[in-house]
Amino acid sequence: QLQLVESGGGSVQIGGSLRLSCDASSLTYNLYCMGWFRQTPGNEREGVAGLDVDGTTIYDKSVKGRFTISKDKATNTLYLQMNNLRPEDTGEYYCAANMRWTGAPPCTLRREYFGPWGQGTQVSVSS
């Protein structure tokens, strides 16, 4: 019944920018840590960025300083602003809620703590 919907992916050249969106309106506002994950063919999803209920943000070291996670409170939409994109950023991006974390912020970005998931949006960065 719960559903997250990602959008905003596309193809961009090196150094370009994209802004991914995640419609989280089916979730209770500000109840869960939210995260963005990236998956490439044959690999597991890896945590990219997280936003906890107190506003704390966490980033994988590969994107820190280039990506920014945020949330629009009015629409309950999660965003990932992606700047200075690199080919290594290519992949399918998913948003998800951490519904298993009961500790203090920031939440973990370990994949097994997150769900439900959206259907993903493709990001392709070309040289």
Side-chain angles (χ1 to χ4, degrees), residues 42-84:
N43 298 305
E44 299 291 336
R45 295 176 190 179
E46 299 181 346
V48 173
L51 175 62
D52 215 326
V53 295
D54 69 341
T56 301
T57 57
I58 50 176
Y59 297 94
D60 183 81
K61 62 180 181 294
S62 67
V63 306
K64 192 169 185 177
R66 299 187 298 118
F67 292 7
T68 303
I69 187 171
S70 62
K71 188 175 183 179
D72 186 313
K73 299 178 181 179
T75 61
N76 205 20
T77 301
L78 186 72
Y79 297 102
L80 184 66
Q81 179 65 47
M82 311 166 69
N83 296 327
N84 193 23

mmCIF file of all heavy atoms in Angstrom, residues 42-84:
data_model
loop_
_atom_site.group_PDB
_atom_site.id
_atom_site.type_symbol
_atom_site.label_atom_id
_atom_site.label_comp_id
_atom_site.label_asym_id
_atom_site.label_seq_id
_atom_site.Cartn_x
_atom_site.Cartn_y
_atom_site.Cartn_z
ATOM 1 N N GLY A 42 24.255 -5.927 -11.413
ATOM 2 C CA GLY A 42 25.047 -6.950 -10.764
ATOM 3 C C GLY A 42 25.514 -6.616 -9.364
ATOM 4 O O GLY A 42 26.199 -7.429 -8.737
ATOM 5 N N ASN A 43 25.153 -5.446 -8.866
ATOM 6 C CA ASN A 43 25.604 -5.019 -7.543
ATOM 7 C C ASN A 43 24.432 -4.725 -6.617
ATOM 8 O O ASN A 43 23.303 -4.518 -7.066
ATOM 9 C CB ASN A 43 26.481 -3.771 -7.663
ATOM 10 C CG ASN A 43 27.733 -4.009 -8.475
ATOM 11 O OD1 ASN A 43 28.505 -4.921 -8.171
ATOM 12 N ND2 ASN A 43 27.942 -3.206 -9.499
ATOM 13 N N GLU A 44 24.717 -4.720 -5.338
ATOM 14 C CA GLU A 44 23.714 -4.366 -4.346
ATOM 15 C C GLU A 44 23.533 -2.859 -4.304
ATOM 16 O O GLU A 44 24.411 -2.098 -4.714
ATOM 17 C CB GLU A 44 24.116 -4.886 -2.968
ATOM 18 C CG GLU A 44 24.259 -6.393 -2.871
ATOM 19 C CD GLU A 44 22.933 -7.110 -2.980
ATOM 20 O OE1 GLU A 44 21.886 -6.497 -2.693
ATOM 21 O OE2 GLU A 44 22.937 -8.299 -3.357
ATOM 22 N N ARG A 45 22.405 -2.441 -3.807
ATOM 23 C CA ARG A 45 22.160 -1.024 -3.619
ATOM 24 C C ARG A 45 23.060 -0.479 -2.510
ATOM 25 O O ARG A 45 23.226 -1.120 -1.477
ATOM 26 C CB ARG A 45 20.698 -0.765 -3.273
ATOM 27 C CG ARG A 45 19.758 -1.122 -4.381
ATOM 28 C CD ARG A 45 18.304 -0.953 -3.996
ATOM 29 N NE ARG A 45 17.443 -1.540 -5.012
ATOM 30 C CZ ARG A 45 16.122 -1.563 -4.961
ATOM 31 N NH1 ARG A 45 15.496 -1.021 -3.926
ATOM 32 N NH2 ARG A 45 15.433 -2.127 -5.932
ATOM 33 N N GLU A 46 23.627 0.696 -2.757
ATOM 34 C CA GLU A 46 24.522 1.323 -1.804
ATOM 35 C C GLU A 46 23.961 2.670 -1.369
ATOM 36 O O GLU A 46 23.449 3.425 -2.189
ATOM 37 C CB GLU A 46 25.909 1.513 -2.404
ATOM 38 C CG GLU A 46 26.586 0.215 -2.800
ATOM 39 C CD GLU A 46 27.969 0.430 -3.367
ATOM 40 O OE1 GLU A 46 28.302 1.580 -3.709
ATOM 41 O OE2 GLU A 46 28.731 -0.556 -3.459
ATOM 42 N N GLY A 47 24.075 2.947 -0.091
ATOM 43 C CA GLY A 47 23.580 4.201 0.436
ATOM 44 C C GLY A 47 24.362 5.392 -0.079
ATOM 45 O O GLY A 47 25.595 5.387 -0.067
ATOM 46 N N VAL A 48 23.660 6.407 -0.521
ATOM 47 C CA VAL A 48 24.261 7.624 -1.046
ATOM 48 C C VAL A 48 24.101 8.780 -0.071
ATOM 49 O O VAL A 48 25.062 9.492 0.231
ATOM 50 C CB VAL A 48 23.651 7.991 -2.412
ATOM 51 C CG1 VAL A 48 24.159 9.348 -2.882
ATOM 52 C CG2 VAL A 48 23.965 6.913 -3.437
ATOM 53 N N ALA A 49 22.889 8.970 0.418
ATOM 54 C CA ALA A 49 22.612 10.075 1.324
ATOM 55 C C ALA A 49 21.411 9.757 2.186
ATOM 56 O O ALA A 49 20.512 9.028 1.766
ATOM 57 C CB ALA A 49 22.362 11.370 0.543
ATOM 58 N N GLY A 50 21.394 10.301 3.388
ATOM 59 C CA GLY A 50 20.283 10.097 4.294
ATOM 60 C C GLY A 50 19.905 11.378 5.007
ATOM 61 O O GLY A 50 20.752 12.253 5.228
ATOM 62 N N LEU A 51 18.639 11.479 5.348
ATOM 63 C CA LEU A 51 18.107 12.631 6.072
ATOM 64 C C LEU A 51 17.255 12.115 7.208
ATOM 65 O O LEU A 51 16.219 11.490 6.980
ATOM 66 C CB LEU A 51 17.291 13.518 5.140
ATOM 67 C CG LEU A 51 16.569 14.715 5.773
ATOM 68 C CD1 LEU A 51 17.563 15.687 6.381
ATOM 69 C CD2 LEU A 51 15.703 15.414 4.730
ATOM 70 N N ASP A 52 17.679 12.359 8.437
ATOM 71 C CA ASP A 52 16.962 11.845 9.583
ATOM 72 C C ASP A 52 15.908 12.844 10.053
ATOM 73 O O ASP A 52 15.830 13.975 9.571
ATOM 74 C CB ASP A 52 17.923 11.505 10.725
ATOM 75 C CG ASP A 52 17.487 10.284 11.520
ATOM 76 O OD1 ASP A 52 16.260 10.071 11.667
ATOM 77 O OD2 ASP A 52 18.363 9.532 11.997
ATOM 78 N N VAL A 53 15.110 12.416 11.012
ATOM 79 C CA VAL A 53 13.951 13.202 11.432
ATOM 80 C C VAL A 53 14.339 14.515 12.105
ATOM 81 O O VAL A 53 13.536 15.453 12.123
ATOM 82 C CB VAL A 53 13.039 12.385 12.361
ATOM 83 C CG1 VAL A 53 12.441 11.202 11.609
ATOM 84 C CG2 VAL A 53 13.807 11.899 13.586
ATOM 85 N N ASP A 54 15.537 14.595 12.648
ATOM 86 C CA ASP A 54 15.981 15.824 13.296
ATOM 87 C C ASP A 54 16.726 16.748 12.346
ATOM 88 O O ASP A 54 17.244 17.784 12.768
ATOM 89 C CB ASP A 54 16.863 15.515 14.512
ATOM 90 C CG ASP A 54 18.210 14.926 14.143
ATOM 91 O OD1 ASP A 54 18.360 14.426 13.010
ATOM 92 O OD2 ASP A 54 19.122 14.964 14.991
ATOM 93 N N GLY A 55 16.770 16.381 11.066
ATOM 94 C CA GLY A 55 17.448 17.191 10.075
ATOM 95 C C GLY A 55 18.888 16.816 9.831
ATOM 96 O O GLY A 55 19.532 17.390 8.941
ATOM 97 N N THR A 56 19.413 15.873 10.598
ATOM 98 C CA THR A 56 20.779 15.422 10.401
ATOM 99 C C THR A 56 20.930 14.755 9.042
ATOM 100 O O THR A 56 20.085 13.956 8.641
ATOM 101 C CB THR A 56 21.195 14.434 11.501
ATOM 102 O OG1 THR A 56 21.082 15.066 12.778
ATOM 103 C CG2 THR A 56 22.631 13.979 11.297
ATOM 104 N N THR A 57 21.991 15.084 8.344
ATOM 105 C CA THR A 57 22.264 14.484 7.043
ATOM 106 C C THR A 57 23.522 13.641 7.109
ATOM 107 O O THR A 57 24.461 13.945 7.850
ATOM 108 C CB THR A 57 22.435 15.553 5.954
ATOM 109 O OG1 THR A 57 23.477 16.458 6.333
ATOM 110 C CG2 THR A 57 21.143 16.333 5.755
ATOM 111 N N ILE A 58 23.530 12.577 6.339
ATOM 112 C CA ILE A 58 24.703 11.728 6.218
ATOM 113 C C ILE A 58 24.925 11.436 4.740
ATOM 114 O O ILE A 58 23.973 11.283 3.981
ATOM 115 C CB ILE A 58 24.560 10.418 7.020
ATOM 116 C CG1 ILE A 58 23.223 9.723 6.705
ATOM 117 C CG2 ILE A 58 24.666 10.685 8.512
ATOM 118 C CD1 ILE A 58 23.055 8.383 7.386
ATOM 119 N N TYR A 59 26.187 11.343 4.346
ATOM 120 C CA TYR A 59 26.537 11.124 2.955
ATOM 121 C C TYR A 59 27.632 10.087 2.838
ATOM 122 O O TYR A 59 28.544 10.019 3.670
ATOM 123 C CB TYR A 59 27.035 12.416 2.309
ATOM 124 C CG TYR A 59 26.011 13.519 2.259
ATOM 125 C CD1 TYR A 59 25.953 14.472 3.262
ATOM 126 C CD2 TYR A 59 25.111 13.612 1.205
ATOM 127 C CE1 TYR A 59 25.017 15.490 3.222
ATOM 128 C CE2 TYR A 59 24.173 14.625 1.158
ATOM 129 C CZ TYR A 59 24.128 15.567 2.167
ATOM 130 O OH TYR A 59 23.195 16.579 2.116
ATOM 131 N N ASP A 60 27.533 9.299 1.803
ATOM 132 C CA ASP A 60 28.653 8.449 1.461
ATOM 133 C C ASP A 60 29.818 9.339 1.043
ATOM 134 O O ASP A 60 29.616 10.390 0.422
ATOM 135 C CB ASP A 60 28.277 7.499 0.324
ATOM 136 C CG ASP A 60 29.405 6.550 -0.021
ATOM 137 O OD1 ASP A 60 29.578 5.544 0.679
ATOM 138 O OD2 ASP A 60 30.123 6.829 -1.011
ATOM 139 N N LYS A 61 31.015 8.938 1.397
ATOM 140 C CA LYS A 61 32.173 9.780 1.116
ATOM 141 C C LYS A 61 32.373 10.054 -0.370
ATOM 142 O O LYS A 61 32.981 11.062 -0.740
ATOM 143 C CB LYS A 61 33.445 9.155 1.705
ATOM 144 C CG LYS A 61 33.811 7.801 1.140
ATOM 145 C CD LYS A 61 35.083 7.292 1.796
ATOM 146 C CE LYS A 61 35.489 5.928 1.238
ATOM 147 N NZ LYS A 61 34.499 4.894 1.606
ATOM 148 N N SER A 62 31.838 9.192 -1.219
ATOM 149 C CA SER A 62 32.010 9.373 -2.651
ATOM 150 C C SER A 62 31.203 10.549 -3.202
ATOM 151 O O SER A 62 31.506 11.036 -4.292
ATOM 152 C CB SER A 62 31.630 8.093 -3.402
ATOM 153 O OG SER A 62 30.247 7.823 -3.297
ATOM 154 N N VAL A 63 30.189 11.001 -2.470
ATOM 155 C CA VAL A 63 29.330 12.077 -2.963
ATOM 156 C C VAL A 63 29.350 13.312 -2.065
ATOM 157 O O VAL A 63 28.799 14.350 -2.451
ATOM 158 C CB VAL A 63 27.876 11.605 -3.140
ATOM 159 C CG1 VAL A 63 27.821 10.365 -4.028
ATOM 160 C CG2 VAL A 63 27.218 11.331 -1.788
ATOM 161 N N LYS A 64 29.970 13.215 -0.920
ATOM 162 C CA LYS A 64 29.976 14.334 0.013
ATOM 163 C C LYS A 64 30.634 15.556 -0.628
ATOM 164 O O LYS A 64 31.707 15.467 -1.206
ATOM 165 C CB LYS A 64 30.697 13.956 1.301
ATOM 166 C CG LYS A 64 30.492 14.959 2.430
ATOM 167 C CD LYS A 64 31.004 14.422 3.749
ATOM 168 C CE LYS A 64 30.676 15.370 4.890
ATOM 169 N NZ LYS A 64 31.102 14.833 6.195
ATOM 170 N N GLY A 65 29.949 16.689 -0.509
ATOM 171 C CA GLY A 65 30.428 17.912 -1.112
ATOM 172 C C GLY A 65 29.861 18.150 -2.493
ATOM 173 O O GLY A 65 29.987 19.261 -3.027
ATOM 174 N N ARG A 66 29.248 17.134 -3.085
ATOM 175 C CA ARG A 66 28.661 17.257 -4.417
ATOM 176 C C ARG A 66 27.150 17.078 -4.403
ATOM 177 O O ARG A 66 26.435 17.699 -5.185
ATOM 178 C CB ARG A 66 29.272 16.232 -5.370
ATOM 179 C CG ARG A 66 30.779 16.386 -5.561
ATOM 180 C CD ARG A 66 31.295 15.458 -6.651
ATOM 181 N NE ARG A 66 31.093 14.050 -6.319
ATOM 182 C CZ ARG A 66 30.329 13.206 -7.030
ATOM 183 N NH1 ARG A 66 29.708 13.636 -8.119
ATOM 184 N NH2 ARG A 66 30.216 11.939 -6.659
ATOM 185 N N PHE A 67 26.652 16.226 -3.522
ATOM 186 C CA PHE A 67 25.219 15.943 -3.435
ATOM 187 C C PHE A 67 24.644 16.550 -2.167
ATOM 188 O O PHE A 67 25.325 16.642 -1.135
ATOM 189 C CB PHE A 67 24.951 14.437 -3.404
ATOM 190 C CG PHE A 67 25.259 13.704 -4.681
ATOM 191 C CD1 PHE A 67 25.875 14.332 -5.756
ATOM 192 C CD2 PHE A 67 24.920 12.369 -4.800
ATOM 193 C CE1 PHE A 67 26.159 13.645 -6.921
ATOM 194 C CE2 PHE A 67 25.193 11.665 -5.959
ATOM 195 C CZ PHE A 67 25.814 12.305 -7.019
ATOM 196 N N THR A 68 23.379 16.932 -2.236
ATOM 197 C CA THR A 68 22.675 17.461 -1.079
ATOM 198 C C THR A 68 21.295 16.830 -0.984
ATOM 199 O O THR A 68 20.528 16.876 -1.945
ATOM 200 C CB THR A 68 22.527 18.992 -1.149
ATOM 201 O OG1 THR A 68 23.814 19.600 -1.265
ATOM 202 C CG2 THR A 68 21.837 19.513 0.108
ATOM 203 N N ILE A 69 20.984 16.249 0.168
ATOM 204 C CA ILE A 69 19.671 15.683 0.390
ATOM 205 C C ILE A 69 18.828 16.682 1.173
ATOM 206 O O ILE A 69 19.320 17.352 2.079
ATOM 207 C CB ILE A 69 19.766 14.333 1.139
ATOM 208 C CG1 ILE A 69 18.391 13.656 1.220
ATOM 209 C CG2 ILE A 69 20.381 14.510 2.520
ATOM 210 C CD1 ILE A 69 18.450 12.227 1.757
ATOM 211 N N SER A 70 17.565 16.794 0.802
ATOM 212 C CA SER A 70 16.668 17.725 1.471
ATOM 213 C C SER A 70 15.238 17.236 1.335
ATOM 214 O O SER A 70 14.963 16.262 0.625
ATOM 215 C CB SER A 70 16.808 19.135 0.892
ATOM 216 O OG SER A 70 16.449 19.166 -0.477
ATOM 217 N N LYS A 71 14.342 17.916 2.012
ATOM 218 C CA LYS A 71 12.941 17.530 1.988
ATOM 219 C C LYS A 71 12.057 18.757 1.964
ATOM 220 O O LYS A 71 12.331 19.739 2.643
ATOM 221 C CB LYS A 71 12.606 16.662 3.207
ATOM 222 C CG LYS A 71 11.216 16.048 3.197
ATOM 223 C CD LYS A 71 11.043 15.115 4.386
ATOM 224 C CE LYS A 71 9.699 14.421 4.376
ATOM 225 N NZ LYS A 71 9.548 13.498 5.522
ATOM 226 N N ASP A 72 11.011 18.697 1.160
ATOM 227 C CA ASP A 72 10.001 19.734 1.121
ATOM 228 C C ASP A 72 8.895 19.317 2.081
ATOM 229 O O ASP A 72 8.189 18.338 1.833
ATOM 230 C CB ASP A 72 9.451 19.914 -0.296
ATOM 231 C CG ASP A 72 8.504 21.088 -0.427
ATOM 232 O OD1 ASP A 72 7.596 21.232 0.420
ATOM 233 O OD2 ASP A 72 8.649 21.864 -1.388
ATOM 234 N N LYS A 73 8.738 20.048 3.174
ATOM 235 C CA LYS A 73 7.766 19.678 4.186
ATOM 236 C C LYS A 73 6.329 19.805 3.701
ATOM 237 O O LYS A 73 5.463 19.033 4.107
ATOM 238 C CB LYS A 73 7.968 20.533 5.441
ATOM 239 C CG LYS A 73 9.322 20.366 6.096
ATOM 240 C CD LYS A 73 9.461 21.275 7.301
ATOM 241 C CE LYS A 73 10.829 21.114 7.949
ATOM 242 N NZ LYS A 73 10.988 22.006 9.121
ATOM 243 N N ALA A 74 6.077 20.779 2.837
ATOM 244 C CA ALA A 74 4.717 21.030 2.385
ATOM 245 C C ALA A 74 4.171 19.878 1.547
ATOM 246 O O ALA A 74 2.989 19.542 1.640
ATOM 247 C CB ALA A 74 4.647 22.334 1.602
ATOM 248 N N THR A 75 5.020 19.282 0.732
ATOM 249 C CA THR A 75 4.588 18.222 -0.168
ATOM 250 C C THR A 75 5.082 16.848 0.245
ATOM 251 O O THR A 75 4.741 15.852 -0.399
ATOM 252 C CB THR A 75 5.062 18.502 -1.599
ATOM 253 O OG1 THR A 75 6.492 18.560 -1.623
ATOM 254 C CG2 THR A 75 4.509 19.838 -2.096
ATOM 255 N N ASN A 76 5.893 16.777 1.290
ATOM 256 C CA ASN A 76 6.514 15.532 1.731
ATOM 257 C C ASN A 76 7.280 14.875 0.580
ATOM 258 O O ASN A 76 7.106 13.690 0.285
ATOM 259 C CB ASN A 76 5.478 14.566 2.311
ATOM 260 C CG ASN A 76 6.089 13.581 3.292
ATOM 261 O OD1 ASN A 76 7.172 13.807 3.827
ATOM 262 N ND2 ASN A 76 5.401 12.474 3.543
ATOM 263 N N THR A 77 8.104 15.684 -0.055
ATOM 264 C CA THR A 77 8.917 15.229 -1.168
ATOM 265 C C THR A 77 10.388 15.254 -0.774
ATOM 266 O O THR A 77 10.881 16.265 -0.257
ATOM 267 C CB THR A 77 8.707 16.115 -2.404
ATOM 268 O OG1 THR A 77 7.328 16.095 -2.779
ATOM 269 C CG2 THR A 77 9.550 15.628 -3.567
ATOM 270 N N LEU A 78 11.068 14.171 -1.007
ATOM 271 C CA LEU A 78 12.493 14.065 -0.741
ATOM 272 C C LEU A 78 13.267 14.397 -2.008
ATOM 273 O O LEU A 78 12.890 13.960 -3.093
ATOM 274 C CB LEU A 78 12.844 12.655 -0.269
ATOM 275 C CG LEU A 78 14.276 12.409 0.182
ATOM 276 C CD1 LEU A 78 14.537 13.073 1.529
ATOM 277 C CD2 LEU A 78 14.550 10.906 0.272
ATOM 278 N N TYR A 79 14.348 15.155 -1.874
ATOM 279 C CA TYR A 79 15.149 15.556 -3.015
ATOM 280 C C TYR A 79 16.593 15.115 -2.861
ATOM 281 O O TYR A 79 17.103 14.956 -1.757
ATOM 282 C CB TYR A 79 15.130 17.077 -3.191
ATOM 283 C CG TYR A 79 13.777 17.655 -3.498
ATOM 284 C CD1 TYR A 79 13.031 18.278 -2.503
ATOM 285 C CD2 TYR A 79 13.254 17.586 -4.779
ATOM 286 C CE1 TYR A 79 11.788 18.817 -2.780
ATOM 287 C CE2 TYR A 79 12.010 18.117 -5.062
ATOM 288 C CZ TYR A 79 11.282 18.735 -4.067
ATOM 289 O OH TYR A 79 10.052 19.268 -4.347
ATOM 290 N N LEU A 80 17.237 14.937 -3.983
ATOM 291 C CA LEU A 80 18.675 14.754 -4.017
ATOM 292 C C LEU A 80 19.226 15.655 -5.106
ATOM 293 O O LEU A 80 19.048 15.380 -6.292
ATOM 294 C CB LEU A 80 19.062 13.296 -4.281
ATOM 295 C CG LEU A 80 20.560 13.001 -4.233
ATOM 296 C CD1 LEU A 80 21.093 13.194 -2.811
ATOM 297 C CD2 LEU A 80 20.867 11.589 -4.727
ATOM 298 N N GLN A 81 19.862 16.739 -4.697
ATOM 299 C CA GLN A 81 20.516 17.632 -5.639
ATOM 300 C C GLN A 81 21.893 17.074 -5.937
ATOM 301 O O GLN A 81 22.704 16.898 -5.029
ATOM 302 C CB GLN A 81 20.633 19.044 -5.057
ATOM 303 C CG GLN A 81 21.321 20.045 -5.972
ATOM 304 C CD GLN A 81 20.549 20.315 -7.235
ATOM 305 O OE1 GLN A 81 19.341 20.546 -7.181
ATOM 306 N NE2 GLN A 81 21.222 20.275 -8.376
ATOM 307 N N MET A 82 22.145 16.792 -7.193
ATOM 308 C CA MET A 82 23.373 16.153 -7.618
ATOM 309 C C MET A 82 24.146 17.117 -8.508
ATOM 310 O O MET A 82 23.718 17.429 -9.612
ATOM 311 C CB MET A 82 23.075 14.854 -8.369
ATOM 312 C CG MET A 82 22.103 13.935 -7.635
ATOM 313 S SD MET A 82 21.432 12.618 -8.688
ATOM 314 C CE MET A 82 22.892 11.615 -8.955
ATOM 315 N N ASN A 83 25.282 17.588 -8.015
ATOM 316 C CA ASN A 83 26.116 18.522 -8.754
ATOM 317 C C ASN A 83 27.462 17.892 -9.079
ATOM 318 O O ASN A 83 27.893 16.936 -8.439
ATOM 319 C CB ASN A 83 26.336 19.803 -7.953
ATOM 320 C CG ASN A 83 25.069 20.579 -7.698
ATOM 321 O OD1 ASN A 83 24.154 20.585 -8.519
ATOM 322 N ND2 ASN A 83 25.007 21.253 -6.556
ATOM 323 N N ASN A 84 28.119 18.471 -10.070
ATOM 324 C CA ASN A 84 29.435 17.988 -10.492
ATOM 325 C C ASN A 84 29.426 16.484 -10.710
ATOM 326 O O ASN A 84 30.271 15.753 -10.188
ATOM 327 C CB ASN A 84 30.492 18.383 -9.460
ATOM 328 C CG ASN A 84 31.908 18.210 -9.962
ATOM 329 O OD1 ASN A 84 32.151 18.210 -11.169
ATOM 330 N ND2 ASN A 84 32.848 18.044 -9.045
#
